[in-house]
Amino acid sequence: MRTVEYTRQGDAAQVLTLREEARRPVPGSGEVLVRMLVRPVHPGDLIGVEGLPGQPEQPEQQSGARTPGVEGMGVVESAGADVRAPRPGQRVAVFPAPGTWSDFVAVPAELAVPVPDGVSDETAALMLVNPLTLRMLYRAVEEALSGQTGPVLQTAAGSSVGRLISAAAVRHDLQLINLVRSTSGAEQVRTSYPSQPVIATCDDDWREQVRLHAGERGVRVVLDCVGGAMTQDLAELLADGGTLISYGRLGSGTTPLEALPLMARALTVRGMSILRWTNRTPEERAQDVAFAQDLARNTPDLLEVAADYDLADFKAAVEHARRPAKRGTVLLTTPRTADSGNGAAR
Ligand SMILES: NC(=O)c1ccc[n+]([C@@H]2O[C@H](COP(=O)([O-])OP(=O)(O)OC[C@H]3O[C@@H](n4cnc5c(N)ncnc54)[C@H](OP(=O)(O)O)[C@@H]3O)[C@@H](O)[C@H]2O)c1
């Protein structure tokens, strides 16, 4: 079995290594062992490996070897005691399952979600994190809007999550303004979502363009995954009483909290992490998972793949995942063997 791992945080190209061993994990009571076939390289995986500037490593992350990855798909290899479902041979998508950049991972059976028939392995590998992120972000937006229809401004609109948000805005009649960093990126988003304004932050007057599109009401909510130095501009674009929802950190630089007009303009800043999803009630989680399964079945083009790399080519995959103007998500694959279950898209 092959496992990608690191023993200290740092540049992924430097600290990640591949380990091979004969031993496989043994599923404990209530767990299944999944033979992983496909897993994504998410920006959050790389934050786990590299950390964030200015934020200390979490104490529980400081000892021993760690393996990146929180989601992916594979086939149930074996089940521990007290597991009624899923059964060996069944295709499943797993999340949250720390350490999916490995050929095998043991996870609680309840976190191994059956892959609907007809959904490809690649789509299944992307079925949970980003669609569940969309659900959590959308709920946060609805709370912040309290009945209004917008306008909402989102950054990195060409990202995989950004495109899910654009599609949801069309479905729910939400007034969305898309920000991207390049003219070519703006053109791509415009082609996919012609009804939504798209503004490139490489234009000197991008802030003016946002104000024009937001109109008199101003921007009610910012959905931001860029952060860093840009936070200052985003907060200034908010209407009084508006909310900035921070869910990523793609940008560089920092903005001190004290630099934001929080008190004078009654602004709210809140964070959102998919790693808190397990705090939701079992009923809410079941609804979220059903949403993700429907999305994978009915609109697989919203879970776009940038490229596939063998797990052993993780360095090339990480480099690709960071390439500007990449579209979709890079995947790491393990070849199917005769005993790794039925065909891909059943
Ligand atoms: N909080 C959570 O629970 C959670 C869950 C999922 C995702 N996320 C976050 O959501 C964000 C998007 O993730 P994803 O998987 O959708 O990403 P992705 O598909 O890999 O796309 C990344 C996008 O970010 C843009 N970008 C990269 N660096 C940028 C910068 N410095 N300034 C502006 N734009 C930049 C790229 O634009 P170009 O096309 O111009 O290169 C690209 O469109 C990430 O920050 C990720 O960490 C958070």
Side-chain angles (χ1 to χ4, degrees), residues 42-44 47 129-130 133 156 158-162 181-182 225-226 247-251 272-274 321 323-326 328-329:
H42 283 307
I47 290 176
V129 165
N130 287 350
T133 297
S159 70
S160 306
V161 172
R181 61 176 167 177
S182 71
C225 62
V226 172
Y247 73 99
R249 178 83 183 274
L250 293 164
M272 196 297 291
S273 167
I274 190 64
R323 242 178 248 168
K326 161 194 71 81
T329 306

Side-chain angles (χ1 to χ4, degrees), residues 41-45 47 129-130 133-134 136-137 155-163 179-182 184-185 188 201 224-226 230 246-252 271-276 304 321-330:
V41 178
H42 283 307
D45 297 326
I47 290 176
V129 165
N130 287 350
T133 297
L134 168 67
M136 290 184 73
L137 288 175
T155 58
S159 70
S160 306
V161 172
R163 282 179 293 116
L179 274 188
V180 294
R181 61 176 167 177
S182 71
S184 58
Q188 281 196 351
T201 55
D224 175 46
C225 62
V226 172
M230 198 186 193
S246 163
Y247 73 99
R249 178 83 183 274
L250 293 164
S252 53
M272 196 297 291
S273 167
I274 190 64
L275 298 178
R276 307 258 162 197
E304 195 173 334
R322 291 194 150 131
R323 242 178 248 168
K326 161 194 71 81
R327 214 180 130 91
T329 306
V330 172

Side-chain angles (χ1 to χ4, degrees), residues 163-243:
R163 282 179 293 116
L164 286 172
I165 292 167
S166 289
V170 170
R171 237 180 3 258
H172 296 284
D173 222 5
L174 175 78
Q175 193 190 340
L176 183 69
I177 303 169
N178 291 308
L179 274 188
V180 294
R181 61 176 167 177
S182 71
T183 311
S184 58
E187 213 36 64
Q188 281 196 351
V189 177
R190 217 168 271 133
T191 305
S192 304
Y193 300 100
S195 63
Q196 296 170 1
V198 189
I199 296 161
T201 55
C202 59
D203 290 351
D204 289 341
D205 66 342
W206 71 268
R207 300 166 193 80
E208 263 327 295
Q209 292 185 47
V210 171
R211 286 195 183 95
L212 255 160
H213 283 292
E216 273 175 19
R217 279 182 300 162
V219 173
R220 303 297 318 166
V221 176
V222 172
L223 266 179
D224 175 46
C225 62
V226 172
M230 198 186 193
T231 306
Q232 177 94 54
D233 280 318
L234 297 172
E236 277 164 18
L237 285 167
L238 274 172
D240 288 2
T243 302

Side-chain angles (χ1 to χ4, degrees), residues 279-299:
N279 295 345
R280 292 175 55 69
T281 66
E283 294 73 29
E284 289 169 332
R285 278 162 44 188
Q287 284 171 12
D288 288 349
V289 166
F291 167 86
Q293 288 170 313
D294 271 0
L295 195 143
R297 213 175 0 229
N298 300 323
T299 47

Side-chain angles (χ1 to χ4, degrees), residues 84-99:
R84 291 187 18 220
R87 300 308 303 163
Q90 195 168 351
R91 284 195 314 154
V92 290
V94 294
F95 171 77

